[in-house]
Amino acid sequence: SYRVGIVGATGAVGQEMLNVLGNRNFPVKELRLFASARSAGKKIKFKGKDIVVEELTKEFYKGLDIALFSAGGNISKEFAPIAAQNGVVVIDNSSAFRMDDNVPLVVPEVNPEDIKKHKGIIANPNCSTIQMCVALWPIHKEFGIKRLLVSTYQAASGAGAKGMQELLDQTKAFVEGKEIPIDKFVHQLLFNVIPHIDEFTDNGFTKEELKMINETRKIFHDNEIKISATTVRVPVLRAHSESINLELEKKSTSKEIRELLRESEGVKVIDNPKNNEYPMPIDAAGTYATYVGRIRDDEVFENGISLWVVADQILKGAALNAVQIAELL
Ligand code: HSE
């Protein structure tokens, strides 16, 4: 069993990392929790015992085997290499190292073998990318995806616990007839959708959109696949949804794709439109699977297939995927 540290333990993802380690009975010999000086001293329960949160210092890695980072790119850049150089395996949830050649970017259902190439740091992909890869990998293996268009419907939780709180605060302010507070998101999210996640780049795409494009290519080991993404924030609390259109190399039918996905690891198919049954974020919240529905033959592309994918962004999109990586070690 392992001595595990969680860096960013008091954040939304850090908290779920504790829950997932406990629920999946990860072999933890010792668990240590790290956060900023502001959160140090807080007590958090793990398997019935209180653990006191420690301030993150340059010495934090001593006595650890595995460090799960979920504290933002700047913290990862500063502290993860120190741990890795001292023999700790770092699983990093930020975007700091994802595209580095010597850092595996891993979705356990897709490319578990990449873990072997690590030099101390393994990157956890972007949340929207993880769920798309889980849903599309079986299709890519079997039929070859040539082109992929994706539009996302991303929950407030993607911006952390403060993002969720802002949506709740906006709702409360509306009910009470008060001024709507806007801080974490650039516009009011309540009764709105915001086609802007992360910063804009020079080519008009946002960083979130480029992550979906570049990370998917790295995870699939396929630079030929053509991808375009539009990422959108919606007033949902904690599961991301995605509308996806595919052009496949080989002819297939929606029936075949549905059957294939029913047998695929990590995927649950909910696709019964006659009974109004399809995946929705309100049902996916708090669960581990990647849900796929609305699977259709689509004439817009040659060998076209369209589908709809939903998963809990904090769990499969972050904490669960990180713990699954740790389980592969
Ligand atoms: N950047 C994502 C979001 C979080 O804001 O929804 C997961 O990478």
Side-chain angles (χ1 to χ4, degrees), residues 98 125-128 154-155 157-159 197-198 208 211 233 240 313 317:
R98 284 182 191 148
N126 162 271
C127 51
S128 318
Q154 293 183 222
S157 56
I197 297 180
D198 209 329
E208 181 79 359
K211 284 175 194 173
R233 188 75 67 199
H240 287 356
Q313 172 281 320

Side-chain angles (χ1 to χ4, degrees), residues 119-181:
K119 303 264 187 303
I121 301 179
I122 302 165
N124 207 30
N126 162 271
C127 51
S128 318
T129 307
I130 293 176
Q131 69 184 68
M132 185 166 83
C133 287
V134 172
L136 297 188
W137 178 242
I139 303 175
H140 191 47
K141 259 195 311 188
E142 198 73 25
F143 300 102
I145 297 171
K146 273 170 83 173
R147 280 191 256 218
L148 185 180
L149 299 179
V150 57
S151 299
T152 68
Y153 304 73
Q154 293 183 222
S157 56
K162 283 192 184 140
M164 296 168 88
Q165 192 55 50
E166 183 154 310
L167 179 57
L168 295 170
D169 290 345
Q170 290 184 351
T171 310
K172 187 159 176 275
F174 174 78
V175 170
E176 293 173 353
K178 296 193 178 136
E179 196 188 331
I180 305 278

